[in-house]
Amino acid sequence: READRGDFRGRGRLGAVDAAERHQNWGSEALSVHEPLLNRERYPYACTYREYLTDDARLVLATLRGAVAAGAVALNYTRVAGFEVGRDEVTLTLRDMLGGEELRVRGAAVVNAAGPWVESVLGLGAAGSEGSRLHLSKGVHIALSRERLPLSNMVMMTHEDGRPVFAIPRGQVVYVGTTDTSVEGGPGYWPTVSAADVDYLLKPVNAHFRGSDATAADVVGSWAGLRPLIRQPGKAAREMSRRDEIWQHEERFISIAGGKLTGYRKMAEQVLKRVGEVLKRDVALADPLQVLPGGDIPDLHEAVAAVANRYELSDRVALRLVRLYGNEVVDVLGSEPRQIAGGVFAEEVLWALKRESAQRLEDVVYRRLRVPWFRPGESQTVALAALELMGDSLGWDGRRRDEELRTVRDRLRDDLAFSAA
């Protein structure tokens, strides 16, 4: 509940709430006020509770920036082309995927945290093939226009197969997910969204909300990811544990597989403990709960109000900015931000280039600004404005600019080209 309404009564560093706020029971009368679209004849009661959301791409960027601030070197668009494990060190061959150059680096230990590609890095064959220790599961989200499905709260629905499906308002959309289907073969690059995936997610929407007869034609965005589950023979993907495992390829090459995003810090602690055993010294984090860049927000409501007041913005636009940049919003926007779309600013593009290692237009539009999924009506406008800013900053010629724009437009088209598979 309260996914996008401005009820942000977070308390303290970890957002703890009073016991009285943890849940409420709503009857038909309360539902008619808070979620009038819900089919109250079929679902006359609801238990409401506070839930917390994250943004996976922004979390990764914040984690990388935190690591760099602590002395790490982060390389974008760099692929591991090979590795050799020696008695005292591991040698990696890396390839620059933009310039084509190769370089070799050496380390006393290497951690392979490549998610669905862990086994590909190890060279043990494609995940999902015979003998694989991973089982890949695809999770799909689709987005419907907020006007088409005007929800105020996050709603947890139940699919006819018993699996929970969530409808979550954000920005211009309500996004619905997720699926949990097995993927045969290797992880590939972009998981596809099939017509069957869309039908699966629309079925509970149409069953739970009055007057909803949404079809694939109503979908304005989609995305998919892969879960690298630890294989459990005889179980369907949705029945498999989300546990994590640490594997050791010889002494100095350590892999981490499985797990969930919510436990990523604990997984990192466990990996560092294993690295410390290899190096025979303590490499544990001094503060495992250290706040990431932008994450120091004791009260989200106050942060949103402060941004809205400072820049004379609506609460919804201010909420978008705080969600993306946390307490760094003023650092991002400066004193006189230039608006390039209803809720997006030129300074965000420049920040992505200077602070977040963006190299491609797709990086900015999709993974930094998050526009196609949560503000799809502004995708084309933002892409054109960001192209001009990036082209000028990075010295792109006309051919490169055409290529970058074509890539984004192709991706926008593919987001809605649901395969029959």
Side-chain angles (χ1 to χ4, degrees):
R1 61 172 295 223
E2 306 298 358
D4 201 19
R5 293 184 60 188
D7 181 12
F8 319 115
R9 293 168 291 178
R11 298 288 190 271
R13 182 173 172 182
L14 297 180
V17 296
D18 296 334
E21 294 182 335
R22 288 180 185 165
H23 74 274
Q24 299 175 30
N25 294 316
W26 286 354
S28 181
E29 184 176 345
L31 285 172
S32 69
V33 174
H34 296 292
E35 287 300 344
L37 285 186
L38 195 66
N39 186 339
R40 296 191 298 282
E41 292 183 3
R42 187 170 182 180
Y43 306 102
Y45 308 103
C47 177
T48 74
Y49 62 95
R50 186 171 298 277
E51 183 61 280
Y52 295 90
L53 307 178
T54 190
D55 184 314
D56 52 3
R58 300 298 310 179
L59 180 62
V60 169
L61 289 169
T63 302
L64 287 170
R65 288 182 58 215
V68 170
V73 175
L75 301 179
N76 199 9
Y77 282 97
T78 304
R79 174 176 292 175
V80 177
F83 66 89
E84 300 171 8
V85 182
R87 188 179 66 178
D88 300 318
E89 64 183 19
V90 181
T91 303
L92 296 176
T93 300
L94 307 179
R95 180 173 298 123
D96 177 355
M97 300 308 294
L98 294 179
E101 296 86 358
E102 284 195 354
L103 66 152
R104 289 167 68 84
V105 298
R106 298 187 300 274
V110 169
V111 174
N112 169 23
W117 296 273
V118 162
E119 290 185 316
S120 299
V121 172
L122 286 173
L124 298 178
S129 62
E130 185 178 355
S132 171
R133 298 167 74 177
L134 288 182
H135 181 105
L136 300 183
S137 166
K138 182 176 69 172
V140 171
H141 286 86
I142 59 173
L144 300 169
S145 166
R146 193 81 169 264
E147 296 178 354
R148 183 69 175 77
L149 188 65
L151 301 187
S152 298
N153 301 276
M154 181 185 76
V155 177
M156 187 183 79
M157 305 170 288
T158 302
H159 200 280
E160 60 185 18
D161 64 5
R163 194 172 188 281
V165 176
F166 293 87
I168 304 175
R170 177 166 174 178
Q172 297 174 345
V173 305
V174 171
Y175 64 98
V176 180
T178 178
T179 63
D180 198 348
T181 54
S182 297
V183 175
E184 301 300 328
Y189 190 57
W190 289 116
T192 58
V193 177
S194 71
D197 294 327
V198 175
D199 290 343
Y200 177 91
L201 294 173
L202 288 177
K203 185 169 290 187
V205 171
N206 291 335
H208 281 72
F209 299 105
R210 293 184 298 107
S212 178
D213 56 353
T215 68
D218 295 305
V219 175
V220 296
S222 73
W223 63 95
L226 296 178
R227 306 177 186 90
L229 307 178
I230 304 300
R231 182 176 293 278
Q232 294 177 270
K235 289 189 175 183
R238 66 190 181 95
E239 299 172 332
M240 290 185 185
S241 168
R242 269 48 174 168
R243 75 180 190 274
D244 58 271
E245 288 186 358
I246 296 176
W247 307 334
Q248 215 149 338
H249 181 84
E250 302 188 37
E251 182 184 20
R252 297 181 178 275
F253 201 101
I254 298 165
S255 298
I256 177 75
K260 295 183 67 176
L261 181 64
T262 47
Y264 88 102
R265 288 202 183 210
K266 192 63 179 178
M267 292 165 64
E269 288 183 64
Q270 295 167 344
V271 168
L272 285 176
K273 181 178 179 181
R274 186 68 66 90
V275 171
E277 293 170 356
V278 171
L279 301 182
K280 297 180 173 56
R281 60 186 175 88
D282 184 12
V283 295
L285 296 173
D287 179 7
L289 295 179
Q290 181 177 345
V291 176
L292 296 176
D296 190 9
I297 306 178
D299 190 299
L300 185 56
H301 175 76
E302 291 180 2
V304 170
V307 170
N309 292 335
R310 183 184 183 100
Y311 295 107
E312 297 182 354
L313 301 173
S314 70
D315 286 346
R316 187 162 288 178
V317 171
L319 173 59
R320 172 191 173 269
L321 292 167
V322 173
R323 276 179 165 168
L324 294 186
Y325 307 109
N327 67 331
E328 295 184 314
V329 173
V330 175
D331 296 330
V332 175
L333 296 187
S335 58
E336 297 181 4
R338 297 162 290 165
Q339 201 168 50
I340 59 177
V344 184
F345 298 86
E347 286 72 19
E348 295 181 71
V349 178
L350 301 178
W351 177 269
L353 296 177
K354 295 174 183 177
R355 296 293 188 93
E356 297 175 349
S357 302
Q359 295 292 309
R360 306 292 302 269
L361 181 63
E362 182 185 287
D363 294 337
V364 171
V365 174
Y366 273 88
R367 287 175 286 280
R368 305 308 192 273
L369 304 181
R370 318 296 273 153
V371 169
W373 294 326
F374 306 125
R375 303 187 69 85
E378 299 171 0
S379 294
Q380 296 288 350
T381 300
V382 170
L384 289 171
L387 176 67
E388 182 176 353
L389 290 164
M390 295 182 71
D392 292 344
S393 296
L394 300 177
W396 290 346
D397 59 20
R399 181 177 180 181
R400 175 67 184 273
R401 295 183 192 223
D402 290 344
E403 176 189 347
E404 294 289 331
L405 185 59
R406 182 170 58 252
T407 298
V408 169
R409 285 178 168 170
D410 287 348
R411 178 76 194 281
L412 290 169
R413 183 196 63 232
D414 291 345
D415 285 348
L416 300 177
F418 310 122
S419 66

